[in-house]
């Protein structure tokens, strides 16, 4: 096995390990705590109740009913906020660990071509794919690009598997809770965006079809890539210089 | 297709008995059994979206291997992947399963379900196989 292919396999393995590490840290600091379990159950129960209520409510529903729904939405909002506070600890721990790990891996793989790309990336992606590599052959792949791709696929798949398929990520009420708990810092941007949208939307009556409602949010995966790059890797990407001859 | 074989293997009715016998394992089998039978009834919308998601990942792995082995290079490879991924799933949910797209928020929602994850997975598999076979 050549060195390059060995590096490729190693990076995939590192990506799997870091995804598991992130989940592990989150489990230790968040998932197994009583407070988190209680809050999560509460959020799921309330969101199911709220959805059922919204499905049965009619245009001519009384003010009493609408007020009741608004109160339930407020309660749900507060529980979601509490859930995000519980996750704060794990976010800091993961951020710290990953900054250290990325620094270490960057220095190990610095200047090494870890794979060959079967395509030439777009010019603005070459900054990532050809990072710290010598020469002008843009089919040379650097550690960071392959790591990002692996993490984008592996983390999402591990989230989808652990939540019983992608279940839970589509319900607009539990989605923000699930995202905060099952998807580590890589989707922080989506999570914050979703929370803002969620808080804004709770003032307005919800459409009957929850899928129309979900269509109004950003989809998880594209934003995940962007927020992963900015939130997880920004400290690393800002460091390091391109080697020139 | 293996859907026909699944029909012969599993009892025609009493899915609840299967659940009692095997617990979660039988539940997963019945979801994939439904996925491989045409025009299945999907009471739980999330279940169908999960099937779409996982089918996308499977297609990504298969195409990544083929593209890496052939090899198919350049943006043509990426474009063909996107077309096949979107096209196959579109045929699956519109012709094979004959579902009402509006119930799921429209064709676009179904098309983008799991697309980016499958794209990342496709790139990883493509790069690995291309590097292993053509630059080893």
């Amino acid at each position: 096995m050549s060195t390059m292919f060995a590096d490729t396999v190693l990076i995939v393995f590192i990506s799997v390990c870091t995804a598991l590490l992130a989940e592990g840290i989150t489990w230790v600091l968040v998932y197994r705590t009583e407070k988190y379990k209680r809050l999560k159950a509460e959020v799921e129960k309330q969101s199911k109740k709220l959805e059922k209520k919204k499905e049965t409510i009619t245009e001519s529903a009384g003010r009493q009913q609408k007020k009741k729904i608004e109160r339930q939405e407020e309660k749900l909002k507060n529980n979601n906020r509490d859930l995000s506070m519980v996750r704060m600890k794990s976010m800091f721990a993961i951020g710290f660990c990953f900054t250290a790990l990325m620094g270490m891996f960057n220095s190990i793989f610095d200047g090494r071509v870890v794979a060959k790309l079967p395509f030439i990336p777009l010019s603005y992606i070459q900054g990532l794919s050809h990072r710290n590599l010598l020469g002008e052959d843009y089919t040379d792949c650097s550690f960071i690009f392959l790591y990002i791709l692996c993490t984008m696929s592996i983390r999402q798949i591990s989230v989808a598997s652990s939540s019983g398929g992608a279940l839970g990520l589509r319900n607009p009420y539990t989605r923000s809770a699930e995202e905060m708990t099952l998807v580590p810092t890589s989707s922080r941007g989506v999570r914050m965006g979703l929370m803002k949208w969620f808080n804004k939307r709770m003032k307005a009556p919800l459409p009957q079809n929850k899928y129309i409602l979900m269509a109004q949010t950003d989809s998880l995966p594209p934003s995940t890539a962007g927020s992963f790059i900015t939130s997880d890797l920004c400290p690393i990407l800002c460091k390091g210089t391109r080697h020139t001859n | 297709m293996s859907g026909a074989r699944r029909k012969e293997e599993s009892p025609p009715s009493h899915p609840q008995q299967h659940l009692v016998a095997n617990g979660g394992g039988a539940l997963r089998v019945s979801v994939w059994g439904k996925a491989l039978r045409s025009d299945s009834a999907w009471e739980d919308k999330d279940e169908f979206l999960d099937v779409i998601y996982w089918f996308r990942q499977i297609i990504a792995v298969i195409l990544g291997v083929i593209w890496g082995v052939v090899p198919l290079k350049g943006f043509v490879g990426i474009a063909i992947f996107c077309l096949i991924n979107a096209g196959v799933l579109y045929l699956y949910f519109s012709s094979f399963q004959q579902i009402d797209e509006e119930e799921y928020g429209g064709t676009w929602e179904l098309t983008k379900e799991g697309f980016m994850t499958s794209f990342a997975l496709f790139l990883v598999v493509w790069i690995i196989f291309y590097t292993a076979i053509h630059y080893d």
Side-chain angles (χ1 to χ4, degrees):
Chain A
M1 192 189 279
S2 75
T3 317
M4 195 196 293
F5 184 63
D7 283 346
T8 310
V9 172
L10 181 62
I11 288 165
V12 174
F13 179 70
I14 287 169
S15 179
V16 170
C17 290
T18 51
L20 290 173
L21 177 68
E23 282 298 306
I25 291 174
T26 312
W27 183 79
V28 165
L29 294 178
V30 177
Y31 294 172
R32 63 176 192 163
T33 59
E34 283 309 314
K35 192 174 182 188
Y36 164 78
K37 286 179 190 168
R38 183 179 44 83
L39 278 171
K40 187 165 176 270
E42 197 61 40
V43 164
E44 279 172 4
K45 196 175 74 177
Q46 283 174 357
S47 64
K48 276 195 183 105
K49 223 163 115 183
L50 200 51
E51 273 202 44
K52 262 198 193 108
K53 257 203 161 59
K54 292 303 293 183
E55 276 164 16
T56 53
I57 198 171
T58 59
E59 284 298 322
S60 57
R63 272 187 66 187
Q64 287 275 8
Q65 274 203 320
K66 289 190 176 155
K67 267 200 162 341
K68 215 175 171 185
I69 286 173
E70 274 176 26
R71 264 201 304 272
Q72 281 184 334
E73 285 168 354
E74 189 64 38
K75 223 172 152 188
L76 189 57
K77 206 168 56 166
N78 291 335
N79 279 333
N80 267 326
R81 197 173 31 233
D82 292 341
L83 211 48
S84 71
M85 296 308 291
V86 168
R87 278 222 70 241
M88 224 38 112
K89 267 192 301 186
S90 84
M91 278 165 57
F92 280 123
I94 288 171
F96 181 74
C97 280
F98 274 62
T99 305
L101 279 173
M102 285 302 107
M104 182 183 79
F105 289 130
N106 262 327
S107 60
I108 291 171
F109 290 101
D110 194 33
R112 270 159 78 162
V113 177
V114 298
K116 286 299 269 186
L117 300 176
F119 56 91
I120 295 177
L122 298 170
S123 52
Y124 54 86
I125 298 187
Q126 283 168 12
L128 266 179
S129 67
H130 205 256
R131 190 170 181 81
N132 291 349
L133 296 180
L134 297 172
E136 299 291 320
D137 182 0
Y138 292 110
T139 60
D140 288 341
C141 180
S142 66
F143 157 76
I144 205 77
F145 185 64
L146 189 58
Y147 178 78
I148 289 171
L149 287 179
C150 290
T151 306
M152 272 171 68
S153 52
I154 290 165
R155 272 202 197 175
Q156 288 303 313
I157 287 172
S158 77
V159 162
S161 308
S162 60
S163 64
L167 284 172
L169 294 180
R170 296 190 201 93
N171 183 319
Y173 304 112
T174 58
R175 183 173 180 170
S176 53
E178 288 294 332
E179 276 191 305
M180 284 186 277
T181 55
L182 289 174
V183 181
T185 54
S186 61
S187 70
R188 192 168 61 88
V190 172
R191 200 165 56 243
M192 290 303 138
L194 211 58
M195 280 300 289
K196 276 189 201 154
W197 169 85
F198 181 76
N199 289 335
K200 206 165 65 172
R201 282 282 165 173
M202 285 299 106
K203 302 263 186 300
L206 294 165
Q208 294 298 315
N209 186 336
K210 71 175 179 185
Y211 294 98
I212 294 171
L213 179 65
M214 283 187 276
Q216 293 165 8
T217 66
D218 289 334
S219 64
L220 176 63
S223 308
T224 299
S227 64
F228 170 73
I229 289 168
T230 53
S231 67
D232 277 4
L233 297 180
C234 201
I236 308 302
L237 296 179
C238 293
K239 294 192 293 187
T241 51
R242 188 189 285 269
H243 290 298
T244 53
N245 285 333
Chain B
M1 209 170 188
S2 57
R5 215 171 337 125
R6 278 200 186 281
K7 271 189 195 162
E8 286 162 25
E9 280 169 2
S10 57
S13 57
H14 314 294
Q16 287 77 14
Q17 286 178 1
H18 251 284
L19 277 173
V20 170
N22 286 341
L27 185 61
R28 278 194 292 279
V29 166
S30 72
V31 171
W32 286 105
K34 268 205 296 188
L36 296 171
R37 276 196 300 271
S38 83
D39 203 15
S40 304
W42 299 93
E43 297 87 20
D44 186 354
K45 305 280 180 275
D46 277 342
E47 208 174 55
F48 184 68
L49 289 173
D50 285 344
V51 167
I52 296 282
Y53 180 92
W54 289 110
F55 266 146
R56 278 228 150 84
Q57 311 315 311
I58 292 169
I59 289 172
V61 171
I62 292 170
L63 291 184
V65 170
I66 295 171
W67 270 218
V69 168
V70 166
L72 189 54
K73 295 198 274 189
F75 276 102
V76 170
I78 295 174
I80 296 175
F81 162 77
C82 295
L83 282 171
I84 293 177
N85 195 323
V88 167
L89 268 298
Y90 178 78
L91 287 173
Y92 174 75
F93 62 70
S94 65
S95 302
F96 188 71
Q97 292 290 346
Q98 292 173 21
I99 58 127
D100 179 9
E101 287 98 341
E102 292 312 313
E103 285 181 20
Y104 293 87
T107 308
W108 180 241
E109 277 305 313
L110 288 165
T111 302
K112 68 179 187 174
E113 181 68 31
F115 182 81
M116 282 309 291
T117 311
S118 72
F119 182 62
L121 186 59
F122 158 75
L123 286 178
V124 169
V125 175
W126 188 19
I127 290 168
I128 288 173
F129 275 80
Y130 179 75
T131 304
I133 294 170
H134 300 282
Y135 277 92
D136 200 359

